[in-house]
Amino acid sequence: MPEIGRVVKVLRGKDEGSYAVIVGIVDDRFVQIVDGDKRRFDQPKKKNVLHLEMQPVVSHEVTDSMRETGRVTNAKLRFVIQKAVQGKENDCG
């Protein structure tokens, strides 16, 4: 189930194979994602949830920041994604 702060892998589109974080839920089919790098917090991408693979990682840093200030820094987003991807690589290896 999509939730704010969840790390996702993009399965479709030009960003296919990259990771992002959900920062907004539009409705039951669409969410807003950002990666802090190419896709900054100020310009979230609207994506169909069917085109995303939900990862088991939910960043409490992102959810807390969104709840308190309504935004999150791009550096924090990059850090969260990097940590999630490294954790995934460690699980496989």
Side-chain angles (χ1 to χ4, degrees):
M1 195 64 204
E3 60 185 298
I4 291 176
R6 183 171 295 279
V7 177
V8 295
K9 184 175 183 180
V10 181
L11 301 176
R12 297 274 186 277
K14 68 178 186 183
D15 299 333
E16 185 176 334
S18 65
Y19 289 86
V21 178
I22 297 175
V23 292
I25 297 174
V26 179
D27 55 31
D28 58 346
R29 278 187 53 209
F30 291 97
V31 295
Q32 293 179 319
I33 61 169
V34 292
D35 65 6
D37 185 26
K38 294 184 194 78
R39 181 62 63 182
R40 302 273 183 182
F41 181 81
D42 301 337
Q43 307 242 305
K45 173 81 176 140
K46 183 177 167 188
K47 282 298 264 189
N48 188 327
V49 293
L50 298 175
H51 297 169
L52 300 172
E53 179 184 297
M54 302 293 160
Q55 302 297 309
V57 180
V58 178
S59 169
H60 298 293
E61 294 143 330
V62 173
T63 52
D64 292 345
S65 182
M66 289 293 288
R67 195 177 320 116
E68 290 167 13
T69 64
R71 62 178 293 118
V72 63
T73 64
N74 291 311
K76 189 176 284 184
L77 290 165
R78 289 191 300 269
F79 175 74
V80 165
I81 291 169
Q82 180 185 10
K83 209 163 65 169
V85 172
Q86 282 178 343
K88 193 172 179 70
E89 287 170 359
N90 291 343
D91 290 347
C92 297

